[in-house]
Amino acid sequence: MNRTKYVSLVVLLFLSLNAVAQTQKQLPLVQLIQDLEAKFDVKFSYALEDVQHILVEEPEEKTALKAIISALNETTLLNFKFLTARYITISTIEKTISICGVLKTTDNTPLYGASVYVEGRLKGTVTNEEGHFKLEAVPVNATIKISFLGFKTQTLLAKTLWAKDHCETVVMPIESEWLNEIVISKFLTTGLQQRIDGSTQLNTAKFGILPGLTEPDVLQSIQALPGVESLNESIANINVRGGTNDQNLMLWDGIKMYHSGHFFGLISAYNPYLTDKVIVTKNGTSSAYSDGVSSTINMLTKDEVTEELSGGFGANLIHADAVLDIPVSDKIALHISGRRSFTDVFNSPTYDNYFQRSFQDSEVATNPDQVQEQRSDSDFYFYDYSAKLLFDLNAKHHFRAHVIGISNNLDYEEGYTNTSNQSLSKASRLKQENLGFGGHWEAQWSDKFQTNLSAYYSEYNVDATDYRTETDQQLIQTNEVLETGLKFHGHLKLHENLTSFSGYQFTETGILNGTTVSNPAYSRTKKDVLLNHALFTELEWQSKQLYLRGGVRVNYFQKFNKLLVEPRLNLRYQFLKDIALKVQGEFKNQSATQIIDFQDDFLGVENRRWILADEQSIPISESQQAALGLQYKRKGFVADVEGFYKTVEGITVSNQGFYNNFQYLNAIGSYTVKGVEVLLNKTANRFSTWASYTYSVNNYKFETLNPSVFPNNADIRHSVSFAFNYDLFKNFKIAFGGIWRSGQPYTTPLETNETVQNGNTTYVNYDTPNNNNLRDFMRLDASLNYKFKINDALHSSVKIGVLNLLDRKNVIQQYYEVDPNNENTAIAIQNTALGLTPNISVRCNF
């Protein structure tokens, strides 16, 4: 026992002496400098403020001067440098250090994919799955900026992140914006976020990977959301909760766009590398928006004046593109992008599949009867460009100007010899363009009040020319849309939790449709103009438990002397820690819609044309929507159930694309869709998986038709999608997923009387509308993504995607034509979706 006490006493005494010894080894750097000057006969040159209040370890008595200086360089943030053997300078100039940190949210969740960069230098990185980052050779006086969308940007001095013995934890608070905040920062995959008002935000720069895609294609990516799909795989035909594509309001930096796709719908027309974020709203829309009775797709480009030149370039098997962010000064920047296909000079397997899918039911793919020999030549290409000028007058006044151009061009020539040895030919040309200009001024007058003034001009043109030598006939078709808009609105913060929002919008829309035939001579041109004035206001309350936005929009159509009042509601209530109640509702209207006069309009490739409401044969469409849902969110798991009801009045037969007896009739009606969406989503550091299911019933009602009620062309009763993303390694990701849905409705001929004759013309005699359904649609997709660094300034990636991995034949449309060999029977014409389609993209960013 005594021995134990003796040992304990010795240990305590040793620790005490060691602690005293350690304490004695710390001394002020100023004193050490004086001691070294006296001992080694050297002179130090320094600024007193650089060395004050710095403690260093006292070197051992026999340590050489160079070893002491080397140790001071390693253990302090100062740069000790020998000018001569006797003179030594001390400064922070040219001193570089290693820095590191761990980013976490306020609830202690690691923040993956945040940008960390050295201000004023081409040096940066992104955080890994644990939120960790590290940078080498950083100037000690440098400023470090840490940013992630939805969180406040943090600005820190490099020396506060000095990786001496551990990495500092940096907490990223959620950004308090005038607009509602993010409630799920990683939704489905990295870069998809859910906002508190129920809308979904896609951040292209942070976007992860989706099955089958090699790029963050804006309009392809949003189809991962429940209730958003394309019945014919075309982003030019996105159906949101059973609506048609023209019922989606599409905005690019505030400019209304009338065209959405390249390759006639297979590729988004908006360059994802300049587009910063996309916000998709299915219901409960802000009163600031109207003119889209199904959804609002709001695309916003980068909006920050940066001090460094940055950008990127890349290519896949269809096109190449480049993006540049050019700082002109500390207040002015220019963002430009350009993209062009090389399909007119090189035909890849991807192009061949896209071409076959796009033109399978068009004049380009239709061969004349009794052809003995055929020769054809096609020249197809597309391009788009955009530019944005940013000017920050000061911290409170920002000016922006932007332009976007989109173009699809097709030239097709065909020569053939018929059985009578006649040499005949036809030449077809199709050009489709959308040009937009816009600008806005954002002013922050005080901490509580800000305003925004914006204006835009949008021009859409589609022109087709078709000439045939056998008839000496030239057909010219034109569809033109010209629209100008002006909007002013202001935000006023009435309380810490309460904000008011009000404004005025003016829109002038003019649409022209023309058809000219040379033989026999025929010409028809129709142009309509419509003016719309709108006042809107809303209140937004946001607290920890309750989010409530209520508003109203009043629209006045000058031509018809018509007033439409549209209330809006959006509520989210967190009544339990992990469970939230959601209630949404809205009234909306739309004055411009697309119609199909004839199925072979514009060579049968782009057969929809825009037309304005006239309140006679084409009324203003009006919609009413309501939704009720519950959301459970806990530790990266989200379960969301939402029931919805939507009715749209004022639709016409001509804008629904019927392939039956109603094809050439005029009738005004409505459709009603009701259903439920279920989403299960689990995200973690290295993986993300989700599954969604939508059940809906969608029916038309046309009082003047018989029958008056029948299934909608977009009536998809069951729709299932799933996906799994996994980070195999830090820079290597895989994604696998699929889609299954019920076949869409179509109309079959009467079994006992398939055709009927009217004068000298024989027609298909269809049964009751949409009396049958296509076979179920099923598709499996996969993607790989590998990222690597060429150097510190140049980051690269290679992505491989495969659509329809099993090469399943999916019929997406079926209609009938009279059999040319037997007028008493009808033959089925089937359009199929893409088969197995691989693609690869390579990209470099700097």
Side-chain angles (χ1 to χ4, degrees):
M1 186 73 175
N2 291 335
R3 185 175 181 180
T4 303
K5 288 182 178 180
Y6 175 75
V7 172
S8 300
L9 187 61
V10 170
V11 170
L12 287 173
L13 181 61
F14 173 78
L15 292 174
S16 300
L17 290 173
N18 187 56
V20 170
Q22 286 186 354
T23 304
Q24 290 174 342
K25 286 183 179 180
Q26 297 287 322
L27 78 162
L29 178 58
V30 174
Q31 181 182 332
L32 178 62
I33 291 171
Q34 294 171 354
D35 293 344
L36 295 177
E37 286 180 333
K39 181 177 180 179
F40 294 101
D41 190 25
V42 293
K43 287 293 183 181
F44 288 87
S45 175
Y46 57 88
L48 185 60
E49 59 269 20
D50 288 341
V51 298
Q52 276 183 326
H53 312 302
I54 294 179
L55 294 176
V56 295
E57 291 187 4
E58 182 180 4
E60 295 182 2
E61 183 66 27
K62 297 182 180 181
T63 306
L65 177 62
K66 287 188 176 181
I68 295 172
I69 297 301
S70 178
L72 290 173
N73 270 325
E74 291 180 2
T75 58
T76 70
L77 294 172
L78 299 171
N79 186 27
F80 291 77
K81 185 177 180 181
F82 281 93
L83 292 180
T84 66
R86 188 166 185 264
Y87 290 95
I88 305 168
T89 61
I90 306 174
S91 69
T92 58
I93 300 173
E94 298 180 1
K95 176 73 174 182
T96 62
I97 56 175
S98 295
I99 64 171
C100 68
V102 179
L103 297 193
K104 292 190 176 182
T105 62
T106 52
D107 60 359
N108 208 37
T109 302
L111 202 54
Y112 170 53
S115 296
V116 182
Y117 66 94
V118 182
E119 194 172 35
R121 293 175 177 260
L122 293 175
K123 182 182 285 292
T125 186
V126 294
T127 54
N128 64 13
E129 297 87 350
E130 289 77 33
H132 181 269
F133 69 88
K134 186 174 183 179
L135 287 172
E136 303 283 353
V138 177
V140 68
N141 289 326
T143 300
I144 307 300
K145 283 205 169 183
I146 306 173
S147 63
F148 192 83
L149 201 60
F151 295 85
K152 287 183 178 178
T153 297
Q154 300 295 299
T155 302
L156 304 170
L157 293 176
K159 57 187 176 184
T160 63
L161 299 170
W162 183 26
K164 185 178 180 181
D165 50 15
H166 73 284
C167 295
E168 294 289 335
T169 297
V170 180
V171 177
M172 297 286 286
I174 293 176
E175 188 169 17
S176 177
E177 301 179 358
W178 288 85
L179 301 176
N180 53 81
E181 65 184 34
I182 304 297
V183 292
I184 302 177
S185 59
K186 186 178 179 182
F187 182 60
L188 304 188
T189 187
T190 305
L192 271 176
Q193 300 173 323
Q194 190 178 78
R195 294 152 61 93
I196 201 169
D197 66 353
S199 61
T200 304
Q201 180 170 300
L202 183 152
N203 308 306
T204 56
K206 311 295 182 185
F207 196 68
I209 182 172
L210 285 177
L213 299 185
T214 59
E215 293 182 320
D217 188 298
V218 172
L219 300 181
Q220 291 281 11
S221 300
I222 66 173
Q223 294 178 45
L225 306 176
V228 181
E229 54 193 341
S230 174
L231 300 186
N232 63 356
E233 287 189 319
S234 168
I235 52 89
N237 189 28
I238 292 179
N239 309 99
V240 179
R241 290 182 173 174
T244 54
N245 182 74
D246 61 323
Q247 293 173 352
N248 302 315
L249 172 62
M250 202 161 295
L251 299 171
W252 186 88
D253 266 350
I255 303 171
K256 183 177 179 183
M257 305 300 294
Y258 283 87
H259 178 61
S260 56
H262 287 314
F263 230 129
F264 304 101
L266 295 179
I267 300 170
S268 171
Y270 307 101
N271 192 323
Y273 300 107
L274 188 64
T275 305
D276 184 43
K277 59 185 176 182
V278 183
I279 302 172
V280 182
T281 307
K282 295 185 284 187
N283 196 357
T285 315
S286 167
S287 62
Y289 302 105
S290 189
D291 208 23
V293 295
S294 268
S295 73
T296 300
I297 301 172
N298 192 9
M299 294 169 281
L300 302 168
T301 60
K302 297 176 183 178
D303 200 48
E304 184 179 355
V305 176
T306 55
E307 298 179 0
E308 298 180 10
L309 175 69
S310 62
F313 54 91
N316 59 24
L317 296 180
I318 297 292
H319 62 257
D321 79 282
V323 176
L324 279 176
D325 296 354
I326 305 170
V328 179
S329 69
D330 59 345
K331 293 184 177 183
I332 301 174
L334 178 64
H335 297 172
I336 58 175
S337 76
R339 176 170 55 167
R340 191 191 189 280
S341 69
F342 41 76
T343 52
D344 50 336
V345 295
F346 171 70
N347 293 351
S348 66
T350 308
Y351 167 79
D352 292 337
N353 281 11
Y354 278 19
F355 190 91
Q356 182 180 356
R357 161 65 186 84
S358 296
F359 301 109
Q360 61 183 306
D361 194 30
S362 67
E363 291 291 321
V364 174
T366 303
N367 297 326
D369 298 329
Q370 299 178 339
V371 169
Q372 190 175 46
E373 182 183 352
Q374 182 182 358
R375 306 166 302 279
S376 63
D377 180 44
S378 62
D379 186 11
F380 171 72
Y381 66 93
F382 62 80
Y383 64 84
D384 61 69
Y385 60 87
S386 61
K388 182 173 184 177
L389 182 65
L390 304 88
F391 172 47
D392 291 347
L393 179 65
N394 50 45
K396 295 185 177 181
H397 294 272
H398 301 164
F399 297 86
R400 304 290 185 262
H402 25 258
V403 60
I404 182 171
I406 300 167
S407 181
N408 284 276
N409 295 270
L410 170 66
D411 288 304
Y412 182 79
E413 293 184 5
E414 185 179 85
Y416 54 91
T417 304
N418 62 17
T419 54
S420 302
N421 288 322
Q422 290 180 295
S423 294
L424 304 172
S425 66
K426 70 174 181 178
S428 303
R429 185 169 185 229
L430 179 65
K431 191 171 186 179
Q432 191 176 32
E433 295 182 319
N434 202 163
L435 179 66
F437 298 93
H440 70 267
W441 165 34
E442 184 180 283
Q444 186 83 41
W445 301 102
S446 69
D447 292 339
K448 295 185 177 181
F449 182 59
Q450 79 171 37
T451 59
N452 191 298
L453 175 65
S454 62
Y456 72 88
Y457 169 82
S458 184
E459 179 180 336
Y460 169 79
N461 288 281
V462 55
D463 297 288
T465 303
D466 190 33
Y467 176 74
R468 305 188 181 217
T469 58
E470 68 266 31
T471 58
D472 190 27
Q473 183 187 74
Q474 184 179 53
L475 171 66
I476 300 174
Q477 294 173 310
T478 302
N479 183 211
E480 180 184 75
V481 182
L482 301 177
E483 180 167 300
T484 55
L486 177 70
K487 180 187 282 189
F488 175 79
H489 59 83
H491 291 264
L492 178 62
K493 204 170 188 68
L494 301 172
H495 180 267
E496 181 182 357
N497 304 108
L498 182 64
T499 304
S500 70
F501 172 73
S502 300
Y504 163 78
Q505 183 174 359
F506 167 77
T507 307
E508 179 184 43
T509 307
I511 298 182
L512 178 146
N513 277 286
T515 301
T516 302
V517 181
S518 63
N519 185 22
Y522 170 79
S523 181
R524 182 192 67 177
T525 301
K526 183 181 180 183
K527 184 174 183 179
D528 296 292
V529 179
L530 189 61
L531 305 182
N532 178 21
H533 303 266
L535 293 172
F536 52 88
T537 185
E538 65 188 24
L539 289 173
E540 185 178 70
W541 172 274
Q542 186 172 329
S543 63
K544 188 174 181 180
Q545 281 188 301
L546 176 65
Y547 172 81
L548 176 62
R549 184 176 68 201
V552 63
R553 183 182 179 97
V554 180
N555 303 276
Y556 175 68
F557 295 93
Q558 189 171 319
K559 185 175 182 179
F560 312 126
N561 193 24
K562 183 173 184 176
L563 196 69
L564 291 177
V565 180
E566 300 171 346
R568 312 283 174 86
L569 175 68
N570 198 312
L571 179 146
R572 179 188 175 92
Y573 179 61
Q574 196 85 27
F575 63 92
L576 291 175
K577 180 181 178 182
D578 304 315
I579 301 177
L581 171 71
K582 302 183 296 178
V583 179
Q584 296 173 333
E586 67 180 25
F587 284 55
K588 293 177 80 176
N589 78 85
Q590 183 170 336
S591 57
T593 57
Q594 287 181 317
I595 66 168
I596 301 176
D597 284 346
F598 303 103
Q599 297 295 351
D600 59 352
D601 274 3
F602 304 108
L603 313 183
V605 179
E606 180 61 52
N607 54 20
R608 296 177 181 267
R609 56 174 75 201
W610 288 97
I611 194 166
L612 269 177
D614 58 15
E615 283 296 274
Q616 295 176 5
S617 60
I618 303 175
I620 294 173
S621 299
E622 299 179 47
S623 70
Q624 298 87 43
Q625 284 198 74
L628 176 66
L630 288 173
Q631 185 178 84
Y632 172 80
K633 177 171 70 79
R634 181 178 175 84
K635 294 183 178 179
F637 176 75
V638 175
D640 197 298
V641 180
E642 187 169 311
F644 62 89
Y645 174 89
K646 178 172 73 173
T647 180
V648 178
E649 301 173 343
I651 65 171
T652 63
V653 167
S654 58
N655 78 338
Q656 295 301 302
F658 286 112
Y659 280 91
N660 53 31
N661 291 333
F662 298 158
Q663 183 172 342
Y664 303 105
L665 298 181
N666 291 320
I668 298 172
S670 64
Y671 73 84
T672 300
V673 56
K674 48 191 175 182
V676 61
E677 297 169 353
V678 181
L679 173 68
L680 302 176
N681 179 209
K682 172 64 178 176
T683 59
N685 288 336
R686 296 187 63 181
F687 78 91
S688 175
T689 183
W690 73 87
S692 70
Y693 168 69
T694 302
Y695 170 78
S696 64
V697 178
N698 191 352
N699 287 318
Y700 288 121
K701 185 175 182 180
F702 290 93
E703 296 285 359
T704 59
L705 301 182
N706 185 27
S708 59
V709 178
F710 55 93
N712 194 305
N713 292 338
D715 179 33
I716 303 298
R717 295 295 170 94
H718 306 277
S719 180
V720 176
S721 68
F722 71 93
F724 178 76
N725 295 348
Y726 187 69
D727 297 354
L728 283 176
F729 307 105
K730 181 179 179 181
N731 297 321
F732 188 72
K733 307 174 188 295
I734 62 170
F736 175 80
I739 300 170
W740 171 84
R741 62 172 180 257
S742 306
Q744 63 195 83
Y746 73 102
T747 308
T748 60
L750 279 170
E751 290 186 5
T752 57
N753 188 18
E754 294 186 359
T755 64
V756 62
Q757 192 164 2
N758 184 3
N760 295 324
T761 307
T762 303
Y763 297 95
V764 177
N765 189 23
Y766 284 99
D767 203 341
T768 55
N770 291 340
N771 64 322
N772 207 339
N773 288 80
L774 298 173
R775 190 177 69 160
D776 292 353
F777 181 99
M778 188 180 75
R779 194 183 77 194
L780 295 177
D781 308 319
S783 292
L784 302 174
N785 182 9
Y786 175 66
K787 294 182 178 180
F788 58 96
K789 285 185 180 181
I790 297 176
N791 53 48
D792 288 340
L794 197 60
H795 298 252
S796 301
S797 66
V798 176
K799 296 180 181 179
I800 301 174
V802 181
L803 294 171
N804 199 357
L805 200 61
L806 301 180
D807 199 21
R808 176 183 167 94
K809 182 181 179 181
N810 288 304
V811 178
I812 53 178
Q813 189 176 63
Q814 181 167 317
Y815 62 97
Y816 293 82
E817 291 182 351
V818 176
D819 189 342
N821 300 316
N822 184 359
E823 291 189 348
N824 295 320
T825 61
I827 56 174
I829 307 297
Q830 291 184 338
N831 291 335
T832 58
L834 284 169
L836 188 150
T837 305
N839 201 356
I840 182 171
S841 71
V842 179
R843 186 156 198 87
C844 295
N845 294 312
F846 57 89

